[in-house]
Amino acid sequence: MKVLLAILVLVALVFWNRSKKRYPPGPKHLPLLGNLLDIPRCHAYKKFTKYSKELDSDIIYVDAAGQPIIVLSSLKACNDLLSKRSNIYSDRFHQTMSFELVDCKRLFAFQPYNDEWREARRLVVKYFTGPGKTPINNCITEFVRKALLPNLLNTPDDFFTHIRNGIGGSIVSLVYGLPTQREKDPWIALADEALACMTSTCVPGKYAVDIFPFLKHIPEWFPEAQFQKEARVGREIVARYIHEPFEASKRGMAEGTTQPSFVTRCLESLAGADEQKELLIENVSSTFAAGGTDTSVTAVKNFFAVLLLFPDIQEKAQAEVDSVIGSGRLPELSDKPNMPYLRAVLKELLRWNPVAPAGLPHMTTEDDSYKGYFIPKGSIVFGNTWAIMHDESVFPEPFNFDPTRFLTPEGQLKADMDILDPETDATFGFGRRICPGIDFGLASFWLSAACILACFNIAPELDEMGTPIPPKFEYLGKEIIAHPEPFKCRITPRSKETIALIRAGYDENSRYI
């Protein structure tokens, strides 16, 4: 009885103390549970956007059973806090399910803001954004031409798989120097499994154990402990994904069969045996190999959806591509500045359907205040990319797909970009946690789109009567990345010359790229 009374007194003191603070506006909440029951497991960013509009505030407060959640729904608020105050807004929330039970703490994207994270990021920035970007661009070009395009030509119905193999193969090569199979590559399959575990287990509000960490101690056989089985399976997959390709790269390096890569360059720079450094390289490799392609793969899948939904945009973009490259070659990354309409289409796609609508959550390491509101230490802070990209005051009629938002009346990209630019603002994160693979992602996205337009026509499927079947698209919203569910379309080469270009330099007898 005394223990219960003490708990009630403690809870009362906590709520009394909070009542003295001026928190950001938020939905009404219940005692103890707060808004826990109001946070949906799918598409939470849309619910947060709704709260923001109803409360007329770009900063809202949600209480998840005592855990403060701050949602920022404007680019200004995100920049003011996540960028300009990044010294106290760059930590990660310790999610028991993903961080501990699935062991995602080894991946630097999930790591807390500390010296180990800083060293990991320095490694990535040095290799992927430094002077050595030419090999990276060459690798992207090679995989688009030798994997993505030939596979789309040979087996177009499997285009989802081909997108993943083409873009995923390039990152496996860049990171590990390993050859990948054109179809059903085991490294890419393992990465897909691990990605599914990582992104699904870090969705806020999905698991009770993240709100009540003591639940991690209950056994798997206990009623309602299904999360323990998910954690065990996920932990095994993530461990394999982190370790196996890294060890394969090391073996290939010793045997002289591995191509120069992030791993080989990092290991060669070590002065003698250094287990701690080697572990860091292993962890960083898996992080970039997983996250470096996921946004690009999803964006290219979304590009197919846009071509299906808006055939007039496909036709206009194809005309621009043709005018730049003619009929005797394929697009190259150097063509990008000469294709303003295609660049506007891709910017609009990233705005219209953000690949990471809420991104990975930040966490505050100190108490703070903003616009007169109190933001407590330990708050989960989201930059609501979905809300930012669908702000009517910035993008009129935001649910319309309109590439001309980013073009001048003369058809050129707006030089000063007087409106938000989806390629550089919000899409890849904020502040010190911004994705270091942004250049790779945008390059692979643009080249894939340009080559698809140059080589293929994308159209809806036909029924038995030859009538086009209206395409349907579904986004379940169960993960951090908004993956589209598989859909169907007709992919046909534009000409015999196109077929010849795709087949040039393609070795049909080789299983590898």
Side-chain angles (χ1 to χ4, degrees), residues 126-411:
K126 180 180 178 181
Y127 181 72
F128 288 105
T129 65
K133 283 172 55 178
T134 299
I136 295 175
N137 292 342
N138 291 343
C139 185
I140 293 169
T141 301
E142 182 178 24
F143 272 83
V144 168
R145 292 185 176 184
K146 293 187 178 182
L148 177 60
L149 298 181
N151 283 337
L152 289 175
L153 178 65
N154 296 333
T155 52
D157 289 345
D158 297 326
F159 71 100
F160 259 48
T161 300
H162 301 331
I163 293 170
R164 182 60 179 153
N165 283 345
I167 298 175
S170 64
I171 196 67
V172 169
S173 178
L174 283 171
V175 174
Y176 297 109
L178 299 171
T180 58
Q181 297 182 22
R182 284 196 173 96
E183 298 180 13
K184 299 179 180 179
D185 181 76
W187 298 125
I188 296 173
L190 180 58
D192 282 343
E193 282 191 272
L195 267 171
C197 294
M198 297 172 200
T199 57
S200 67
T201 57
C202 66
V203 175
K206 184 175 180 180
Y207 296 98
V209 70
D210 287 333
I211 306 299
F212 307 107
F214 66 86
L215 294 176
K216 68 183 178 182
H217 299 296
I218 66 175
E220 188 177 312
W221 52 262
F222 198 80
E224 303 300 323
Q226 174 66 21
F227 74 92
Q228 290 285 24
K229 180 180 179 181
E230 292 182 44
R232 174 174 53 80
V233 173
R235 186 166 58 251
E236 293 169 357
I237 293 172
V238 169
R240 286 185 55 220
Y241 168 68
I242 293 174
H243 189 64
E244 291 181 7
F246 181 76
E247 287 300 312
S249 182
K250 284 177 60 181
R251 286 195 302 272
M253 189 176 173
E255 297 166 359
T257 58
T258 300
Q259 296 295 316
S261 65
F262 171 76
V263 169
T264 61
R265 284 179 59 179
C266 289
L267 291 177
E268 287 168 353
S269 69
L270 294 182
D274 189 332
E275 291 185 10
Q276 198 64 31
K277 279 275 191 180
E278 191 168 307
L279 182 64
L280 177 69
I281 296 167
E282 182 179 36
N283 292 343
V284 172
S285 302
S286 59
T287 304
F288 196 85
T293 59
D294 208 25
T295 51
S296 298
V297 169
T298 301
V300 174
K301 291 176 180 178
N302 288 340
F303 181 65
F304 273 82
V306 164
L307 298 183
L308 283 173
L309 289 170
F310 310 108
D312 57 323
I313 287 177
Q314 178 176 186
E315 183 177 348
K316 188 170 181 178
Q318 283 178 328
E320 180 182 69
V321 172
D322 293 346
S323 70
V324 172
I325 68 169
S327 58
R329 67 178 180 90
L330 294 172
E332 299 174 354
L333 284 167
S334 58
D335 294 318
K336 184 176 179 179
N338 301 319
M339 299 185 187
Y341 184 75
L342 176 56
R343 293 178 67 185
V345 169
L346 300 187
K347 288 178 187 290
E348 177 69 348
L349 176 52
L350 293 175
R351 183 207 67 79
W352 185 65
N353 199 353
V355 294
L360 284 170
H362 295 229
M363 190 179 76
T364 54
T365 53
E366 296 179 13
D367 288 346
D368 195 22
S369 62
Y370 182 64
K371 294 184 176 180
Y373 298 123
F374 175 67
I375 300 174
K377 176 182 178 180
S379 296
I380 300 173
V381 184
F382 282 97
N384 190 349
T385 302
W386 174 269
I388 293 169
M389 298 299 183
H390 291 80
D391 184 347
E392 295 93 337
S393 66
V394 179
F395 300 107
E397 299 182 314
F399 292 94
N400 290 348
F401 190 89
D402 181 11
T404 63
R405 300 178 197 276
F406 304 101
L407 297 172
T408 65
E410 296 75 28

Side-chain angles (χ1 to χ4, degrees), residues 438-502:
I438 181 172
D439 291 337
F440 170 87
L442 292 175
S444 60
F445 181 33
W446 184 88
L447 188 63
S448 298
C451 287
I452 289 165
L453 287 168
C455 296
F456 301 102
N457 290 316
I458 313 300
E461 277 197 307
L462 303 177
D463 62 18
E464 296 177 355
M465 303 298 293
T467 305
I469 302 172
K472 294 181 179 179
F473 308 102
E474 185 176 15
Y475 294 80
L476 298 182
K478 292 182 177 180
E479 300 176 348
I480 295 296
I481 303 297
H483 299 280
E485 292 299 295
F487 56 87
K488 296 182 179 181
C489 63
R490 284 186 300 139
I491 303 173
T492 55
R494 294 181 63 192
S495 67
K496 291 181 180 179
E497 290 77 15
T498 296
I499 295 174
L501 279 174
I502 294 173

